[in-house]
Amino acid sequence: EADRWLRLAAFIDANLGDASLSVDRIAAALKVSKRWIHRLFESRGQQYSTYLRHLRLQRARAELESDRLRHLSVTEIGLRNGFRDSSHFSRSFREHYGVPPSNHRQAAR
C-alpha cells in the first residue's frame, strides 16, 4: 500500500498547479478506479480535497516566502498553485494560516 500511496502522491505533486486536477483525471492517468483512490485516502484518514488544498497552500506559502519568486504577484502564486482565482486563494490562505497571503509575504521579508 505504501508504494501505491507514493505513486498517487507523486502524480498529485507533479500536477498540483493544474486547477482542474480531479479524481477522475488522476484515475484515468494512473489507470485505476476512482473508488481505489478514495479508499487509499480513507485508509490514511484523509479526503482528497482536503489533502489537495493543504498541499497547494503549503507550496504557495513557500513560494510567498521565496526571494527567488519575489517578482511574482500574490495572484500569480495562487494561480500557479492550482487556485482558480485570487479571491479563492486569499480566502483559503487566510482560513488556513490566519493571515492574508500578502501580509504573510510582507512578514516573511
Side-chain angles (χ1 to χ4, degrees):
E1 187 171 305
D3 288 341
R4 291 177 180 176
W5 175 257
L6 290 175
R7 187 172 151 224
L8 175 63
F11 183 85
I12 291 171
D13 191 55
N15 293 279
L16 203 54
D18 181 355
S20 63
L21 186 61
S22 66
V23 172
D24 287 337
R25 188 159 154 252
I26 295 168
L30 297 180
K31 296 178 176 42
V32 297
S33 71
K34 294 187 302 184
R35 182 68 190 129
W36 177 85
I37 293 170
H38 286 296
R39 267 192 259 150
L40 199 53
F41 275 100
E42 288 170 9
S43 73
R44 300 178 67 85
Q46 297 177 320
Q47 291 183 332
Y48 168 75
S49 59
T50 304
Y51 176 81
L52 186 64
R53 184 174 49 250
H54 181 73
L55 284 183
R56 285 177 168 163
L57 287 168
Q58 278 185 322
R59 185 175 290 174
R61 181 180 181 185
E63 289 184 3
L64 288 167
E65 295 170 356
S66 171
D67 285 335
R68 187 176 53 83
L69 298 175
R70 187 181 324 183
H71 66 282
L72 295 177
S73 70
V74 170
T75 297
E76 288 172 313
I77 288 176
L79 294 175
R80 66 186 263 137
N81 284 291
F83 291 92
R84 293 187 187 272
D85 59 66
S86 61
S87 63
H88 181 238
F89 171 55
S90 291
R91 188 172 47 256
S92 296
F93 194 94
R94 186 174 41 251
E95 286 172 4
H96 192 79
Y97 293 111
V99 296
S102 55
N103 291 13
H104 179 78
R105 179 178 244 181
Q106 290 172 352
R109 291 187 178 163

